[in-house]
Every structure is written in structure tokens, then in C-alpha cells.
Amino acid sequence: ENIGFLFQQLELYLQTLGLGVCWLGMGRMNPRTPRSVEGMKFVIMLAFGHPKGEQLRRDPKEFKRKPPQSITDQPDPRLEAARFAPSAVNSQPWYFTHERDTIHVHCSRKGGPLDIGIALAHLYIENPGTFRFFRAETATEVPGYRYIGSVTL
């Protein structure tokens, strides 16, 4: 989750410099490069460079994303930033439930924590002064999902 949270902010920063950026989940390192360094294992690759064509999509219709009602228990325009966040094969493995001012974050059983970190980064960037992530003592259970943490925006 933390890798996704931090590197998504790096990705968005690189885009402000005019670079095209892409997460490569199936990327491969040079065979001579160690698969682990001091106990850390290779997780994912972030490719970047000068794009040949358009750097960014301009029209929301160009994004293949789930409708808002399939990622949350109630309408919440604040979650649009997470809805448009990238995820492995556009799976959007997140689901958000609401409890008063708290939004609980859940990940599908097949989803990866990296994707959740990316979505959380988008929520943080949209709400930098009020974003707070924490693990709640109790959170609504969602069938087919596991609880990750909670946020206030």
C-alpha cells in the first residue's frame, strides 16, 4: 500500500514535467540485477519518458472505469479521484463504505494492496489538508472484500 501511495505521487509529479508514466506490473529487470537487495524484493516497475503522442487523456470517457455505484455504498463525489486512479488491468479492486464522517476502504480478495495505495494517493492529493488514514477498531464488512483502513477527508 505504501509503495502505491508514494510512487503514485511520484508518477503524478513526473506527469507535471511533461513525461509519460506507466506502472509495469509484469516488468522484468535485467537478469544480472539481483532480485532482492538487503531483504527487499522487486515488486513493480515505473516506466517514464517523453511520449510520442498525447501525454494525457483529456476526456473522462477515454477512461475505462466502473460506475460510481459499483465502488461505494452511497454516492460521494469525493471518491471520483479514487475512481479515476490507475489499477492493475483497470480492475479497480476498491470498495468504500461510509460511517458518519469516516470512509472505510476495502480491497477485493483478488486485488492488490499496491492498487489501494494508488487510490489512497489520489484521495490524499484531492484532500491534502484534511486527509487522514487510520485503522478503525470496527469497520463494516463487505462480502468478497477485506478491510484495509479508513480515511477522513
Side-chain angles (χ1 to χ4, degrees), residues 14-32:
L14 291 172
Q15 287 179 19
T16 69
L17 301 177
L19 297 173
V21 187
C22 182
W23 290 91
L24 299 173
M26 300 298 286
R28 291 178 29 192
M29 297 184 338
N30 181 315
R32 293 184 302 257

PDB file of all heavy atoms in Angstrom, residues 14-32:
ATOM      1  N   LEU A  14       5.920  13.452 -12.101  1.00  0.00           N
ATOM      2  CA  LEU A  14       6.606  13.296 -13.384  1.00  0.00           C
ATOM      3  C   LEU A  14       5.717  13.753 -14.544  1.00  0.00           C
ATOM      4  O   LEU A  14       6.203  14.327 -15.517  1.00  0.00           O
ATOM      5  CB  LEU A  14       7.053  11.849 -13.579  1.00  0.00           C
ATOM      6  CG  LEU A  14       8.182  11.376 -12.648  1.00  0.00           C
ATOM      7  CD1 LEU A  14       8.401   9.870 -12.793  1.00  0.00           C
ATOM      8  CD2 LEU A  14       9.459  12.144 -12.898  1.00  0.00           C
ATOM      9  N   GLN A  15       4.413  13.522 -14.424  1.00  0.00           N
ATOM     10  CA  GLN A  15       3.495  13.977 -15.467  1.00  0.00           C
ATOM     11  C   GLN A  15       3.482  15.503 -15.557  1.00  0.00           C
ATOM     12  O   GLN A  15       3.356  16.062 -16.644  1.00  0.00           O
ATOM     13  CB  GLN A  15       2.087  13.448 -15.211  1.00  0.00           C
ATOM     14  CG  GLN A  15       1.954  11.972 -15.488  1.00  0.00           C
ATOM     15  CD  GLN A  15       0.559  11.463 -15.214  1.00  0.00           C
ATOM     16  OE1 GLN A  15      -0.396  12.222 -15.145  1.00  0.00           O
ATOM     17  NE2 GLN A  15       0.427  10.151 -15.059  1.00  0.00           N
ATOM     18  N   THR A  16       3.638  16.186 -14.416  1.00  0.00           N
ATOM     19  CA  THR A  16       3.670  17.649 -14.459  1.00  0.00           C
ATOM     20  C   THR A  16       4.902  18.161 -15.197  1.00  0.00           C
ATOM     21  O   THR A  16       4.922  19.293 -15.652  1.00  0.00           O
ATOM     22  CB  THR A  16       3.636  18.291 -13.048  1.00  0.00           C
ATOM     23  OG1 THR A  16       4.865  18.029 -12.376  1.00  0.00           O
ATOM     24  CG2 THR A  16       2.445  17.803 -12.247  1.00  0.00           C
ATOM     25  N   LEU A  17       5.917  17.313 -15.328  1.00  0.00           N
ATOM     26  CA  LEU A  17       7.141  17.675 -16.063  1.00  0.00           C
ATOM     27  C   LEU A  17       7.020  17.354 -17.553  1.00  0.00           C
ATOM     28  O   LEU A  17       7.971  17.532 -18.297  1.00  0.00           O
ATOM     29  CB  LEU A  17       8.347  16.936 -15.474  1.00  0.00           C
ATOM     30  CG  LEU A  17       8.647  17.193 -13.996  1.00  0.00           C
ATOM     31  CD1 LEU A  17       9.822  16.340 -13.531  1.00  0.00           C
ATOM     32  CD2 LEU A  17       8.904  18.668 -13.740  1.00  0.00           C
ATOM     33  N   GLY A  18       5.845  16.850 -17.963  1.00  0.00           N
ATOM     34  CA  GLY A  18       5.623  16.526 -19.368  1.00  0.00           C
ATOM     35  C   GLY A  18       6.021  15.116 -19.745  1.00  0.00           C
ATOM     36  O   GLY A  18       6.047  14.769 -20.927  1.00  0.00           O
ATOM     37  N   LEU A  19       6.320  14.284 -18.761  1.00  0.00           N
ATOM     38  CA  LEU A  19       6.715  12.905 -19.042  1.00  0.00           C
ATOM     39  C   LEU A  19       5.498  11.990 -19.036  1.00  0.00           C
ATOM     40  O   LEU A  19       4.564  12.188 -18.262  1.00  0.00           O
ATOM     41  CB  LEU A  19       7.726  12.423 -18.001  1.00  0.00           C
ATOM     42  CG  LEU A  19       9.051  13.181 -17.973  1.00  0.00           C
ATOM     43  CD1 LEU A  19       9.896  12.733 -16.791  1.00  0.00           C
ATOM     44  CD2 LEU A  19       9.806  12.984 -19.277  1.00  0.00           C
ATOM     45  N   GLY A  20       5.537  10.978 -19.874  1.00  0.00           N
ATOM     46  CA  GLY A  20       4.540   9.917 -19.837  1.00  0.00           C
ATOM     47  C   GLY A  20       5.011   8.887 -18.822  1.00  0.00           C
ATOM     48  O   GLY A  20       6.208   8.594 -18.722  1.00  0.00           O
ATOM     49  N   VAL A  21       4.077   8.342 -18.042  1.00  0.00           N
ATOM     50  CA  VAL A  21       4.442   7.420 -16.973  1.00  0.00           C
ATOM     51  C   VAL A  21       3.487   6.236 -16.998  1.00  0.00           C
ATOM     52  O   VAL A  21       2.298   6.388 -17.262  1.00  0.00           O
ATOM     53  CB  VAL A  21       4.367   8.109 -15.587  1.00  0.00           C
ATOM     54  CG1 VAL A  21       4.918   7.214 -14.497  1.00  0.00           C
ATOM     55  CG2 VAL A  21       5.108   9.441 -15.600  1.00  0.00           C
ATOM     56  N   CYS A  22       4.029   5.046 -16.715  1.00  0.00           N
ATOM     57  CA  CYS A  22       3.194   3.841 -16.721  1.00  0.00           C
ATOM     58  C   CYS A  22       3.717   2.848 -15.691  1.00  0.00           C
ATOM     59  O   CYS A  22       4.910   2.586 -15.608  1.00  0.00           O
ATOM     60  CB  CYS A  22       3.228   3.206 -18.116  1.00  0.00           C
ATOM     61  SG  CYS A  22       2.195   1.747 -18.271  1.00  0.00           S
ATOM     62  N   TRP A  23       2.792   2.304 -14.912  1.00  0.00           N
ATOM     63  CA  TRP A  23       3.125   1.218 -13.993  1.00  0.00           C
ATOM     64  C   TRP A  23       3.289  -0.048 -14.824  1.00  0.00           C
ATOM     65  O   TRP A  23       2.464  -0.338 -15.693  1.00  0.00           O
ATOM     66  CB  TRP A  23       1.994   0.990 -12.992  1.00  0.00           C
ATOM     67  CG  TRP A  23       1.807   2.066 -11.980  1.00  0.00           C
ATOM     68  CD1 TRP A  23       1.007   3.158 -12.079  1.00  0.00           C
ATOM     69  CD2 TRP A  23       2.418   2.140 -10.698  1.00  0.00           C
ATOM     70  NE1 TRP A  23       1.084   3.915 -10.937  1.00  0.00           N
ATOM     71  CE2 TRP A  23       1.946   3.300 -10.063  1.00  0.00           C
ATOM     72  CE3 TRP A  23       3.325   1.328 -10.014  1.00  0.00           C
ATOM     73  CZ2 TRP A  23       2.336   3.673  -8.785  1.00  0.00           C
ATOM     74  CZ3 TRP A  23       3.720   1.700  -8.743  1.00  0.00           C
ATOM     75  CH2 TRP A  23       3.229   2.860  -8.143  1.00  0.00           C
ATOM     76  N   LEU A  24       4.312  -0.837 -14.540  1.00  0.00           N
ATOM     77  CA  LEU A  24       4.547  -2.102 -15.258  1.00  0.00           C
ATOM     78  C   LEU A  24       4.573  -3.244 -14.252  1.00  0.00           C
ATOM     79  O   LEU A  24       5.623  -3.580 -13.696  1.00  0.00           O
ATOM     80  CB  LEU A  24       5.863  -2.054 -16.043  1.00  0.00           C
ATOM     81  CG  LEU A  24       5.958  -0.988 -17.126  1.00  0.00           C
ATOM     82  CD1 LEU A  24       7.362  -0.947 -17.704  1.00  0.00           C
ATOM     83  CD2 LEU A  24       4.938  -1.258 -18.217  1.00  0.00           C
ATOM     84  N   GLY A  25       3.423  -3.839 -14.029  1.00  0.00           N
ATOM     85  CA  GLY A  25       3.331  -4.949 -13.096  1.00  0.00           C
ATOM     86  C   GLY A  25       4.033  -6.198 -13.583  1.00  0.00           C
ATOM     87  O   GLY A  25       4.497  -7.016 -12.805  1.00  0.00           O
ATOM     88  N   MET A  26       4.128  -6.344 -14.891  1.00  0.00           N
ATOM     89  CA  MET A  26       4.780  -7.520 -15.462  1.00  0.00           C
ATOM     90  C   MET A  26       6.193  -7.173 -15.962  1.00  0.00           C
ATOM     91  O   MET A  26       6.772  -7.900 -16.730  1.00  0.00           O
ATOM     92  CB  MET A  26       3.942  -8.081 -16.617  1.00  0.00           C
ATOM     93  CG  MET A  26       2.545  -8.497 -16.201  1.00  0.00           C
ATOM     94  SD  MET A  26       2.523  -9.809 -14.979  1.00  0.00           S
ATOM     95  CE  MET A  26       2.984 -11.183 -15.993  1.00  0.00           C
ATOM     96  N   GLY A  27       6.715  -6.030 -15.531  1.00  0.00           N
ATOM     97  CA  GLY A  27       8.053  -5.622 -15.949  1.00  0.00           C
ATOM     98  C   GLY A  27       9.105  -6.605 -15.471  1.00  0.00           C
ATOM     99  O   GLY A  27       8.919  -7.325 -14.486  1.00  0.00           O
ATOM    100  N   ARG A  28      10.206  -6.658 -16.194  1.00  0.00           N
ATOM    101  CA  ARG A  28      11.296  -7.546 -15.810  1.00  0.00           C
ATOM    102  C   ARG A  28      12.581  -6.733 -15.725  1.00  0.00           C
ATOM    103  O   ARG A  28      12.859  -5.898 -16.569  1.00  0.00           O
ATOM    104  CB  ARG A  28      11.450  -8.658 -16.829  1.00  0.00           C
ATOM    105  CG  ARG A  28      10.272  -9.608 -16.781  1.00  0.00           C
ATOM    106  CD  ARG A  28      10.287 -10.713 -17.771  1.00  0.00           C
ATOM    107  NE  ARG A  28      11.595 -11.169 -18.187  1.00  0.00           N
ATOM    108  CZ  ARG A  28      11.779 -11.969 -19.219  1.00  0.00           C
ATOM    109  NH1 ARG A  28      10.748 -12.377 -19.918  1.00  0.00           N
ATOM    110  NH2 ARG A  28      12.981 -12.358 -19.557  1.00  0.00           N
ATOM    111  N   MET A  29      13.348  -7.026 -14.714  1.00  0.00           N
ATOM    112  CA  MET A  29      14.621  -6.353 -14.544  1.00  0.00           C
ATOM    113  C   MET A  29      15.682  -7.083 -15.366  1.00  0.00           C
ATOM    114  O   MET A  29      15.481  -8.215 -15.807  1.00  0.00           O
ATOM    115  CB  MET A  29      15.017  -6.348 -13.066  1.00  0.00           C
ATOM    116  CG  MET A  29      14.038  -5.574 -12.219  1.00  0.00           C
ATOM    117  SD  MET A  29      14.427  -5.390 -10.467  1.00  0.00           S
ATOM    118  CE  MET A  29      15.513  -6.660 -10.034  1.00  0.00           C
ATOM    119  N   ASN A  30      16.803  -6.434 -15.536  1.00  0.00           N
ATOM    120  CA  ASN A  30      17.945  -7.050 -16.187  1.00  0.00           C
ATOM    121  C   ASN A  30      18.275  -8.340 -15.432  1.00  0.00           C
ATOM    122  O   ASN A  30      18.335  -8.328 -14.197  1.00  0.00           O
ATOM    123  CB  ASN A  30      19.118  -6.066 -16.144  1.00  0.00           C
ATOM    124  CG  ASN A  30      20.350  -6.595 -16.819  1.00  0.00           C
ATOM    125  OD1 ASN A  30      20.750  -7.737 -16.627  1.00  0.00           O
ATOM    126  ND2 ASN A  30      20.976  -5.742 -17.599  1.00  0.00           N
ATOM    127  N   PRO A  31      18.505  -9.468 -16.134  1.00  0.00           N
ATOM    128  CA  PRO A  31      18.785 -10.734 -15.441  1.00  0.00           C
ATOM    129  C   PRO A  31      19.991 -10.663 -14.501  1.00  0.00           C
ATOM    130  O   PRO A  31      20.065 -11.421 -13.548  1.00  0.00           O
ATOM    131  CB  PRO A  31      19.047 -11.716 -16.575  1.00  0.00           C
ATOM    132  CG  PRO A  31      18.440 -11.100 -17.781  1.00  0.00           C
ATOM    133  CD  PRO A  31      18.466  -9.620 -17.576  1.00  0.00           C
ATOM    134  N   ARG A  32      20.904  -9.750 -14.735  1.00  0.00           N
ATOM    135  CA  ARG A  32      22.089  -9.635 -13.868  1.00  0.00           C
ATOM    136  C   ARG A  32      21.793  -8.831 -12.598  1.00  0.00           C
ATOM    137  O   ARG A  32      22.590  -8.821 -11.670  1.00  0.00           O
ATOM    138  CB  ARG A  32      23.235  -8.986 -14.638  1.00  0.00           C
ATOM    139  CG  ARG A  32      23.759  -9.872 -15.761  1.00  0.00           C
ATOM    140  CD  ARG A  32      24.952  -9.232 -16.419  1.00  0.00           C
ATOM    141  NE  ARG A  32      24.642  -7.913 -16.955  1.00  0.00           N
ATOM    142  CZ  ARG A  32      24.436  -7.648 -18.240  1.00  0.00           C
ATOM    143  NH1 ARG A  32      24.537  -8.593 -19.136  1.00  0.00           N
ATOM    144  NH2 ARG A  32      24.143  -6.423 -18.638  1.00  0.00           N
TER     145      ARG A  32
END
